[in-house]
Amino acid sequence: MAINVPAETIAEVSLAPARRAWIAAAIKFTRQRPIGALGAAIILVMAAVASLAGVLAPYDPLATDYGGMLAPPSATHWLGTDAFGRDVLSRIVYGSRTALLVGFGASVLGATLGVFVGVASAYFGGRVDLLVQRVMDIFLSFPLIVLALAVVVILGTGVLNVTLAIMVPMIPRCALVVRSSALAIREMPYVEAARAAGFGHARIIFRHMLPNVMAPYLIMLTAFLGQAILLEASLSFLGLGVQEPTAAWGLMLRGAAVEFAEAAPWMALFPGLAISLGVFGFSLFGDSLRDALDPKLRTL
Amino acid sequence: MGKYILKRFLLMIPTLLGVAVLVFVLLRVVPGDVVELRFMSGEGQFADPQMLAMERAKVGLDKPMWKQFLDWMWGIVRLDLGVSMWTGAPITEEIKLRFALSLQLAIMATVVATLLAIPLGILAALKQDTWVDYTVRVFSIAGLAMPSFWLGILMILGFLVIFKWLPPMVYTPLWVNPWQNLAQLIWPALAVGYRYSAVATRMTRSAMLEVLREDYIRTARAKGLWTKLILTRHALKNAMLPVLTVIALEFAFLLGGLVVTEQVFNLNGLGMLFVQAISHRDYTLTQSLVLLVAFVFIFVNFLMDLLYGRLDPRIRYR
Amino acid sequence: MAYLLSRLRGVGALAFLPVLIVGVVLPSPVMGQDKPRYGGELIFPVPSEPPSYDGHREETFGLIHPIAPFYNTLLRVDPRDPSGTKPIGDLAESWTVARDGLTYTFKLHKGVKFHDGSEMTSKDVKASYDKIIFPPPGVGSSRKGQYEVVEALEAPDPSTVRFHLKWPTASFLASLASPWNFIYKADILVKDIHWYETHVMGTGPFTFVEHVKGSHLVGKKNPTYWDKGKPYLDGFRAIFISSSSAQVAAIRGERAHIQFRGFGPADRNSLKASLGDKITVQESPWDCILLGAINHNKKPFDDKRVRRALTLALDRYEGSKALSKIAIVKEVAGVQVPGTPYATPPEELAKLAGYGKDINAARDEARYLLKEAGAEKLSFTFKNRGIPMPYEPLAIWMIDQWRRVGLNVKQEVIEAAAYYSVLRKGDFEVAMDFQCGYIVEPDLDIYKFISTDKNPANYGAYTDRVLDDLYVKQSRATDYEERKKYIRQFEKRVLDAEAHYLMTLQWHRIIPHSSKVKGWQITPSHYLNNQLDAVWLSE
């Protein structure tokens, strides 16, 4: 196929098959797992909206208009305005940034730390394992809301602290799953061999164990993504998350959105839809990914 | 077997102790205490320091930390939770009515979740990779995706506008008026149950798929759906263990974790009590609540472990 | 969903109409046009539950609303007075003040009985006030400091109580009308001074029936109430509901009659829209206000010019118009509730910085001042308390107003319970602060602003002896005009000349209640007028 290609297009040539393979993979994925493809599409749209917020949003998300408070959806404000006359659509568009930032931040951090804890626990075994398991048990049985409240009260609100508050409960959940996979890997001959050869613990963990728990890691990561976005919205709804005047979906459902739910339902309806759609996309994608990566279909 | 049970049972103690230490320390790291809140927020501009010191002594905040902790632990050993720092009433009395509500809601929601999850999960597996499977999965994941508070707001609004239905003022216990009680809790139970059915549906589907892969069932492929269902019945019993685990753990979680739902539906349950207790810096009540919820969670876990052993002889007791 | 949405939109359009109507209907005369009817149980939601039953000790309206009907106080604020400033007798039948203003003698009603059947005498009044003002060692009193002026208390005969003061003060009668100072039985206090924390036993128009924790509290008519012919109600039922939407639902479903704290404008509109004439709306300025505490220890807020700029940037009149539609604030006010005796009239108020009618001029001045102070484009963090209404809408408004003079302000919300620790530590630049009184009385309302070394609850961290001096002068001035003059000077200094603190908008109390409820008058305080002795139900 590439026999008669002129020299000038060589750069393109080396790219073309890759691109084609990528497209082919996408088509195959769509055909085999239409649900996952739908999820991926939603995620892509969300990412695009977040990165192009400045271009897509018709108004400044912070601009108030006391003459146009609580205006219903119209040609000028497609999704209406809120209690301060701010454009709901623009705030939803900018809110996607907060959602993705906190969602990715919390789940990548949580799942990654969880993997380390889980692998280390399985690798060292014995007393260390027993101790780590007890600590994980403690965090698992600790009511989530108390944990989140405590983190937020001690550290304060704001994007970074909310990310931390969401991340903490994710660690033991991921560690638990990863540990059970890692336990099997620990008994594998190549790990035994590495140990016999006198390699350091760190090296064995990084070289031999971590790469082999990537599947459960990815599964947990995608499962967390949706839940992190949801948790961020819940915490913001409770007033424990991101703060005004920053645009965030959960925040938009708070206060006036509830008080005016009857008189100005657009204030509650659209941000809620945005949250649902976002979480829906990540969950669909995660669900399919699990089907693909987890042959025993056993991961929680 | 007896030895295993004992060992598992005893392992609960360090975990609970850890929970106790964690909540004890967390509460005291958080700024503000119950006396300060009661007498120095609001219009308490005149609060006198001597009085504050006395009030602190009254609730035991003047004692050294280790003493406070040991007192609490000693109370727990004697099954005495002590009194609430905010109201001065026994904690058992504070919790009683709220616990009844939360327990009932958790049970109802779990029933709803189970009734949704098992048939839907089995159906999805039997019809794997068809539009039935996709619909079931999209339906159950949609439940997981909708924030429960938003769903609650929409439900209440919908009922209000269409049926003129209004959420109740106070909780009517089941033993007082069963009909009114059920009418109160059915909507939140549906909202919560739908949401929590998602994971169980997924597990049921996976378990069923696994069973369907067994050889003798593959050979029966031609014989139609109904036959397949009957054939899988026995195999399913074991395969359903993880489903049971998920449902049981979710039940334990629902008991204390429904803060937002309780808020939206105006249910005075444990979740709301949690938030109240923390915002009052009612250390004793918060501690007891956390320990209670953690105990239920750990105990359910323990029961599931035992059940695994009974139902699945392949699991050897270590 | 589309169907639901269109239905909702229809309702929404309706719900906006009554805003106009309400304005015309108000203020409705509530008292005395009909003959009271006996019977019925008044049902009212209470947003918070009493932590104990001892009014001398607690500070929450969650105690007053369900517990006040069980008790009497020595004096009370006239339940028919909309300004909530006029003390009248409750257990006191009459009183005399000595010419030097240092001795107050009260004659008590005769034949007043406690709910246990025993007679109430001056001994009980003295014991109750001794508990508040001179608590025995080992017993605290949260209101001791408020009665510093009292030298001693005596009960010369069973129906006379006498207060001896250290110096004359204009506010003494008002402070005896405090709704917190329930009269307890002396014999019980002698035996166990903490008894009243866990028990209820007073002389009030209602007797205690039951309190189910986390649910409700019930009282029934006191058949031997000393004020003959009262109360009109057979009883009352206080229902503890923390969610405000559920409280509104209770009124809307006609399962409850009234909520005595207040609702937001959205709720008022939806109640009026759905129930029409069945709802009567009473509104009043509310003796609560959110303040901007400006930390004088943090640069550049030690600079008067920067502080003035902060207040100049606020368009209070536009804010009043807009925010009153979405939040429980409305009136533009100085240090006193508008419409009360010592309040500054609007035209005079407009002369203060930030109260002028020309917002563009004010903002230009703000920008100029900031530039001059080298604080152009200043960025700072505004700390706010984690309470939704009205803290959140006001903060959004303030931040937006400051943005318009080039300030870049970030909000940091602190959990409600941790908030005051932050303020006390001075760990903020500008923060939301709160002031709320149980009665409109300058002594209580402006105490907040005297120097931090005298009042630690002044979080501005400043020392201003001129202000302290003016406070004492107004407090001891017994002549109305003289006192007014000092209060005006105080106001000008704290809000304008020094701009120590900045005021947002006065809270606005909105009580939409069942039209069946009669004999209840709204006042500027949600701590007042909750004895329910004169309240009745029309059907």
Side-chain angles (χ1 to χ4, degrees):
Chain A
M1 189 164 99
I3 293 171
N4 298 326
V5 178
E8 305 93 75
T9 52
I10 278 182
E12 254 190 271
V13 171
S14 57
L15 268 175
R19 193 190 292 157
R20 242 174 255 155
W22 197 87
I23 293 171
I27 291 172
K28 194 177 159 214
F29 181 72
T30 312
R31 209 170 278 153
Q32 284 184 340
R33 303 187 185 277
I35 286 195
L38 178 62
I42 295 175
I43 297 170
L44 285 179
V45 169
M46 199 171 150
V49 167
S51 48
L52 299 175
V55 184
L56 290 175
Y59 294 90
D60 175 354
L62 300 185
T64 56
D65 174 10
Y66 296 112
M69 294 158 64
L70 301 165
S74 65
T76 41
H77 296 282
W78 290 2
L79 303 183
T81 64
D82 72 0
F84 293 86
R86 298 177 296 196
D87 184 51
V88 170
L89 176 62
S90 305
R91 289 184 71 76
I92 288 181
V93 167
Y94 273 91
S96 64
R97 286 188 172 175
T98 314
L100 284 179
L101 193 68
V102 175
F104 268 101
S107 26
V108 169
L109 277 174
T112 307
L113 285 173
V115 161
F116 278 109
V117 173
V119 166
S121 177
Y123 174 77
F124 291 108
R127 286 233 178 114
V128 176
D129 189 36
L130 197 69
L131 188 74
V132 172
Q133 285 314 299
R134 290 289 80 72
V135 173
M136 292 297 120
D137 273 356
I138 292 168
F139 276 95
L140 275 176
S141 56
F142 210 85
L144 213 73
I145 181 76
V146 181
L147 214 55
L149 259 172
V151 172
V152 168
V153 173
I154 296 170
L155 300 176
T157 52
V159 175
L160 187 68
N161 296 333
V162 173
T163 308
L164 283 177
I166 297 172
M167 175 202 86
V168 169
M170 291 189 168
I171 299 173
R173 281 165 182 79
C174 182
L176 205 69
V177 171
V178 167
R179 174 179 168 269
S180 56
S181 305
L183 275 179
I185 295 162
R186 194 177 74 134
E187 309 302 328
M188 291 286 174
Y190 59 88
V191 177
E192 299 266 320
R195 210 177 291 175
F199 289 137
H201 294 316
R203 187 174 159 152
I204 298 175
I205 288 179
F206 275 96
R207 278 276 178 84
H208 301 289
M209 302 211 37
L210 278 179
N212 287 299
V213 292
M214 274 302 125
Y217 171 73
L218 281 178
I219 290 171
M220 293 313 280
L221 182 65
T222 47
F224 284 164
L225 268 167
Q227 292 310 302
I229 292 176
L230 201 61
L231 261 176
E232 183 266 310
S234 304
L235 287 179
S236 296
F237 173 73
L238 287 173
L240 299 169
V242 181
Q243 295 305 336
E244 287 272 9
T246 314
W249 294 342
L251 208 52
M252 295 177 74
L253 286 174
R254 185 176 160 72
V258 178
E259 287 149 25
F260 286 93
E262 209 182 333
W266 54 89
M267 268 182 4
L269 198 61
F270 297 118
L273 277 177
I275 300 172
S276 305
L277 199 65
V279 179
F280 187 63
F282 280 106
S283 306
L284 283 182
F285 183 72
D287 197 64
S288 292
L289 194 70
R290 245 175 298 179
D291 262 4
L293 290 181
D294 185 11
K296 285 211 81 185
L297 307 154
R298 277 267 169 133
T299 322
L300 279 182
Chain B
M1 168 112 187
K3 207 173 148 198
Y4 172 75
I5 295 177
L6 189 71
K7 190 184 154 199
R8 280 292 288 121
F9 187 80
L10 288 180
L11 269 180
M12 284 166 56
I13 295 172
T15 312
L16 279 172
L17 201 65
V19 170
V21 173
L22 185 62
V23 65
F24 186 89
V25 172
L26 269 185
L27 279 173
R28 279 151 183 86
V29 171
V30 165
D33 71 36
V34 64
V35 172
E36 210 171 89
L37 271 167
R38 198 152 167 184
F39 302 105
M40 291 177 77
S41 44
E43 81 283 15
Q45 304 180 338
F46 298 96
D48 126 48
Q50 200 194 341
M51 187 201 100
L52 295 180
M54 269 179 312
E55 289 289 339
R56 283 209 172 88
K58 212 167 128 193
V59 290
L61 283 175
D62 59 330
K63 287 185 235 165
M65 291 260 222
W66 60 268
K67 182 101 176 36
Q68 291 181 39
F69 186 76
L70 287 186
D71 284 352
W72 178 41
M73 284 296 114
W74 177 231
I76 300 276
V77 171
R78 290 174 298 141
L79 293 179
D80 173 13
L81 293 179
V83 296
S84 151
M85 281 185 177
W86 182 257
T87 64
I91 285 171
T92 39
E93 194 189 311
E94 295 283 339
I95 292 181
K96 209 167 54 186
L97 203 61
R98 276 114 163 173
F99 188 74
L101 187 151
S102 285
L103 186 67
Q104 196 194 339
L105 182 60
I107 292 174
M108 283 173 72
T110 308
V111 170
V112 170
T114 315
L115 288 182
L116 277 175
I118 292 184
L120 285 181
I122 292 178
L123 189 68
L126 290 175
K127 297 273 185 182
Q128 192 191 5
D129 289 331
T130 64
W131 65 270
V132 178
D133 182 23
Y134 298 149
T135 313
V136 167
R137 283 162 71 189
V138 165
F139 171 79
S140 81
I141 289 176
L144 201 63
M146 275 188 276
S148 50
F149 54 90
W150 184 66
L151 190 63
I153 295 170
L154 289 192
M155 275 171 95
I156 287 184
L157 194 58
F159 296 153
L160 180 73
V161 173
I162 300 163
F163 306 119
K164 303 270 168 241
W165 178 89
L166 289 162
M169 286 202 297
V170 285
Y171 171 60
T172 318
L174 192 62
W175 57 89
V176 174
N177 184 341
W179 175 245
Q180 201 178 340
N181 167 281
L182 289 178
Q184 267 181 9
L185 291 183
I186 188 69
W187 299 116
L190 279 177
V192 174
Y194 170 39
R195 177 174 165 71
Y196 286 94
S197 70
V199 181
T201 307
R202 186 191 159 72
M203 295 300 295
T204 311
R205 179 174 171 273
S206 314
M208 187 70 192
L209 283 178
E210 207 175 306
V211 172
L212 286 175
R213 279 181 201 155
E214 309 260 338
D215 287 342
Y216 67 99
I217 293 171
R218 283 185 192 216
T219 54
R221 183 175 298 173
K223 288 181 185 162
L225 201 81
W226 192 243
T227 332
K228 224 194 265 180
L229 206 58
I230 292 173
L231 276 174
T232 51
R233 217 179 46 196
H234 293 285
L236 204 56
K237 211 172 90 184
N238 284 340
M240 287 303 273
L241 265 178
V243 180
L244 195 63
T245 315
V246 166
I247 291 174
L249 290 184
E250 275 179 0
F251 167 80
F253 168 78
L254 289 184
L255 205 56
L258 290 178
V259 181
V260 194
T261 309
E262 285 178 11
Q263 203 161 343
V264 170
F265 284 96
N266 183 39
L267 297 169
N268 215 347
L270 290 183
M272 293 265 270
L273 191 61
F274 253 128
V275 174
Q276 256 171 44
I278 296 175
S279 64
H280 287 153
R281 296 293 186 271
D282 190 341
Y283 295 166
T284 46
L285 181 56
T286 315
Q287 285 167 183
S288 300
L289 277 172
V290 168
L291 208 59
L292 179 76
V293 170
F295 174 75
V296 172
F297 187 87
I298 293 169
F299 193 70
V300 166
N301 244 321
F302 167 68
L303 288 183
M304 292 323 296
D305 269 11
L306 295 190
L307 203 65
Y308 262 77
R310 267 193 90 83
L311 286 184
D312 192 346
R314 281 173 301 180
I315 295 174
R316 272 187 305 121
Y317 295 115
R318 273 161 289 168
Chain C
M1 191 49 98
Y3 167 68
L4 177 70
L5 188 62
S6 65
R7 285 288 304 263
L8 292 175
R9 215 175 282 162
V11 173
L14 270 180
F16 272 109
L17 276 175
V19 187
L20 305 167
I21 304 165
V22 168
V24 183
V25 173
L26 286 172
S28 58
V30 234
M31 306 294 295
Q33 71 275 68
D34 300 307
K35 198 168 164 289
R37 175 185 159 272
Y38 283 91
E41 184 183 49
L42 183 77
I43 302 174
F44 55 93
V46 182
S48 83
E49 201 162 345
S52 83
Y53 302 134
D54 187 359
H56 299 181
R57 186 162 175 264
E58 305 301 339
E59 294 184 352
T60 164
F61 69 93
L63 180 135
I64 292 280
H65 291 190
I67 305 296
F70 300 126
Y71 290 101
N72 288 112
T73 47
L74 184 59
L75 300 182
R76 66 164 158 169
V77 173
D78 189 343
R80 288 154 303 187
D81 171 25
S83 78
T85 51
K86 207 173 115 201
I88 60 165
D90 193 7
L91 287 174
E93 193 172 30
S94 63
W95 62 86
T96 52
V97 184
R99 192 160 300 162
D100 60 2
L102 292 176
T103 311
Y104 285 66
T105 309
F106 297 88
K107 278 280 171 210
L108 304 177
H109 281 287
K110 294 212 174 74
V112 178
K113 288 209 162 56
F114 279 104
H115 296 159
D116 67 354
S118 60
E119 186 100 4
M120 192 281 310
T121 67
S122 58
K123 197 174 77 170
D124 302 304
V125 178
K126 179 171 160 27
S128 302
Y129 267 97
D130 276 342
K131 174 174 182 276
I132 296 166
I133 307 175
F134 310 108
V139 178
S141 165
S142 49
R143 298 194 171 79
K144 192 169 136 185
Q146 194 181 330
Y147 295 96
E148 238 184 332
V149 65
V150 178
E151 170 92 59
L153 195 62
E154 58 170 335
D157 69 65
S159 62
T160 309
V161 177
R162 195 168 290 143
F163 286 80
H164 297 282
L165 305 193
K166 295 175 194 155
W167 59 79
T169 165
S171 62
F172 190 59
L173 287 176
S175 67
L176 291 184
S178 162
W180 302 104
N181 298 352
F182 301 151
I183 300 304
Y184 294 151
K185 186 169 156 150
D187 294 350
I188 293 178
L189 291 178
V190 169
K191 266 184 240 146
D192 177 7
I193 199 151
H194 296 297
W195 191 84
Y196 276 98
E197 287 167 23
T198 46
H199 298 78
V200 175
M201 214 287 289
T203 55
F206 294 90
T207 59
F208 180 80
V209 177
E210 64 162 347
H211 175 196
V212 178
K213 291 265 151 85
S215 179
H216 60 274
L217 187 147
V218 181
K220 71 169 197 300
K221 180 178 185 157
N222 173 5
T224 58
Y225 190 52
W226 57 271
D227 193 357
K228 292 289 168 255
K230 285 181 180 169
Y232 301 116
L233 298 167
D234 284 342
F236 71 87
R237 179 176 290 261
I239 299 183
F240 303 110
I241 305 180
S242 53
S243 137
S244 70
S245 56
Q247 295 157 24
V248 177
I251 305 284
R252 185 164 177 169
E254 300 182 74
R255 297 176 203 164
H257 297 107
I258 185 167
Q259 186 260 54
F260 288 111
R261 187 172 181 274
F263 283 141
D267 301 328
R268 171 196 59 202
N269 299 352
S270 69
L271 282 173
K272 199 69 196 166
S274 59
L275 291 175
D277 284 348
K278 290 181 181 171
I279 285 286
T280 302
V281 181
Q282 296 196 47
E283 298 193 18
S284 163
W286 197 343
D287 188 16
C288 299
I289 192 163
L290 292 182
L291 313 159
I294 309 170
N295 191 343
H296 290 49
N297 283 338
K298 293 266 157 94
K299 286 210 180 309
F301 302 101
D302 55 338
D303 188 330
K304 196 193 301 183
R305 290 169 299 190
V306 176
R307 298 197 302 263
R308 274 176 70 95
L310 288 185
T311 187
L312 281 165
L314 304 179
D315 185 349
R316 292 179 168 83
Y317 299 99
E318 185 200 45
S320 167
K321 227 166 68 192
L323 290 171
S324 63
K325 290 182 198 150
I326 58 165
I328 52 168
V329 293
K330 189 169 187 178
E331 285 78 10
V332 177
V335 295
Q336 283 281 283
V337 177
T340 56
Y342 293 103
T344 310
E347 61 280 9
E348 210 175 312
L349 199 61
K351 292 176 194 153
L352 297 179
Y355 290 79
K357 298 282 185 180
D358 183 354
I359 185 60
N360 291 325
R363 290 204 175 124
D364 285 343
E365 191 185 342
R367 282 186 209 103
Y368 172 77
L369 285 172
L370 285 171
K371 196 170 173 182
E372 204 180 311
E376 250 179 321
K377 305 248 181 297
L378 176 68
S379 290
F380 65 90
T381 302
F382 178 68
K383 293 207 174 169
N384 195 7
R385 194 167 180 210
I387 293 178
M389 181 60 81
Y391 287 75
E392 276 176 23
L394 270 176
I396 297 173
W397 173 71
M398 287 160 87
I399 291 170
D400 175 55
Q401 299 287 303
W402 287 330
R403 196 165 87 122
R404 295 178 190 204
V405 293
L407 296 170
N408 175 21
V409 185
K410 207 177 119 247
Q411 185 188 198
E412 190 184 327
V413 176
I414 304 197
E415 189 240 3
Y419 194 64
Y420 280 95
S421 320
V422 172
L423 285 195
R424 264 192 295 277
K425 266 188 269 159
D427 181 16
F428 66 93
E429 294 168 298
V430 182
M432 198 75 101
D433 194 0
F434 170 61
Q435 154 98 329
C436 195
Y438 62 81
I439 181 171
V440 182
E441 162 48 55
D443 270 13
L444 298 176
D445 294 332
I446 66 176
Y447 183 75
K448 176 85 187 170
F449 307 109
I450 64 171
S451 302
T452 303
D453 57 354
K454 302 210 175 224
N455 177 15
N458 175 345
Y459 302 112
Y462 57 82
T463 309
D464 187 335
R465 295 295 168 227
V466 179
L467 221 47
D468 299 348
D469 185 45
L470 281 171
Y471 179 81
V472 174
K473 275 188 182 146
Q474 68 77 29
S475 175
R476 298 189 184 183
T478 41
D479 176 66
Y480 169 73
E481 288 300 330
E482 189 194 355
R483 192 176 187 201
K484 201 166 81 179
K485 191 183 81 195
Y486 291 132
I487 293 171
R488 293 289 152 77
Q489 287 174 9
F490 188 98
E491 181 175 72
K492 181 147 175 63
R493 186 163 178 91
V494 76
L495 299 184
D496 182 331
E498 292 293 325
H500 285 311
Y501 252 90
L502 64 89
M503 297 223 144
T504 65
L505 298 165
Q506 193 78 37
W507 282 25
H508 186 71
R509 195 169 172 220
I510 304 171
I511 312 263
H513 61 76
S514 160
S515 297
K516 292 177 195 164
V517 177
K518 309 276 182 187
W520 185 79
Q521 166 65 49
I522 194 172
T523 65
S525 165
H526 58 302
Y527 300 100
L528 290 181
N529 205 359
N530 267 93
Q531 214 180 51
L532 308 183
D533 59 332
V535 174
W536 52 282
L537 293 170
S538 66
E539 53 184 274

